[in-house]
């Protein structure tokens, strides 16, 4: 059963802020707070939460695959620098090529979504 929209938004906001903190702890400071984040970022987080709830997995592989497919669908490509205007992202690589902290971030999405739903 899907989450009601207001509950999905609350879970997505919490997941976003947790991931923002996780990324900052690993030197990635380009994720804005939820209230300053663009609509595309809100939609991406909501989609990731929905996916996590529908496809629970013990690691973040399926979560990364979902994110990667979402980015490709939305016109993003691999690039050495994350650039929303150019739609490039350095983490658009296979799961096994991700840094360990990023793989843990994908697993964190699953854990938080399930804990908060």
């Amino acid at each position: 059963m899907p989450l009601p929209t207001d509950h999905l938004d609350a879970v997505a906001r919490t997941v976003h802020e947790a991931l923002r903190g996780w990324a900052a702890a690993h030197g990635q400071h380009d994720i804005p707070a939820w209230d300053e984040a663009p609509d595309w970022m809100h939609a991406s987080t909501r989609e990731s939460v929905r996916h996590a709830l529908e496809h629970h997995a013990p690691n973040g592989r399926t979560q990364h695959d979902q994110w990667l497919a979402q980015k490709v669908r939305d016109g993003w490509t691999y690039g050495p620098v994350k650039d929303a205007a150019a739609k490039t992202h350095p983490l658009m690589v296979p799961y096994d090529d991700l840094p360990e902290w990023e793989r843990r971030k994908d697993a964190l999405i699953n854990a938080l979504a399930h804990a908060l739903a």
Side-chain angles (χ1 to χ4, degrees), residues 11-107:
V11 172
R13 174 188 287 268
T14 303
V15 167
H16 175 90
E17 291 300 338
L19 296 179
R20 187 167 78 94
W22 178 258
H26 292 87
Q28 187 182 21
H29 300 281
D30 60 346
I31 301 173
W34 180 264
D35 290 335
E36 285 83 45
D39 290 341
W40 67 263
M41 198 173 279
H42 292 172
S44 176
T45 304
R46 285 185 196 101
E47 191 172 331
S48 292
V49 167
R50 278 190 209 102
H51 178 82
L53 294 174
E54 294 170 1
H55 303 93
H56 184 66
N59 63 42
R61 184 178 300 275
T62 62
Q63 200 64 40
H64 179 70
D65 290 347
Q66 175 272 332
W67 174 85
L68 192 55
Q70 180 189 116
K71 288 292 187 204
V72 169
R73 178 198 70 211
D74 293 344
W76 288 67
T77 59
Y78 171 82
V81 176
K82 181 178 175 184
D83 182 336
K87 292 190 171 184
T88 60
H89 203 297
L91 297 174
M92 291 187 67
V93 297
Y95 180 81
D96 291 333
D97 294 342
L98 291 172
E100 179 63 26
W101 69 268
E102 182 66 22
R103 282 182 268 168
R104 288 178 184 244
K105 185 187 90 171
D106 289 330

Side-chain angles (χ1 to χ4, degrees), residues 3-15:
L3 289 177
T5 301
D6 59 338
H7 194 158
L8 175 64
D9 286 348
V11 172
R13 174 188 287 268
T14 303
V15 167

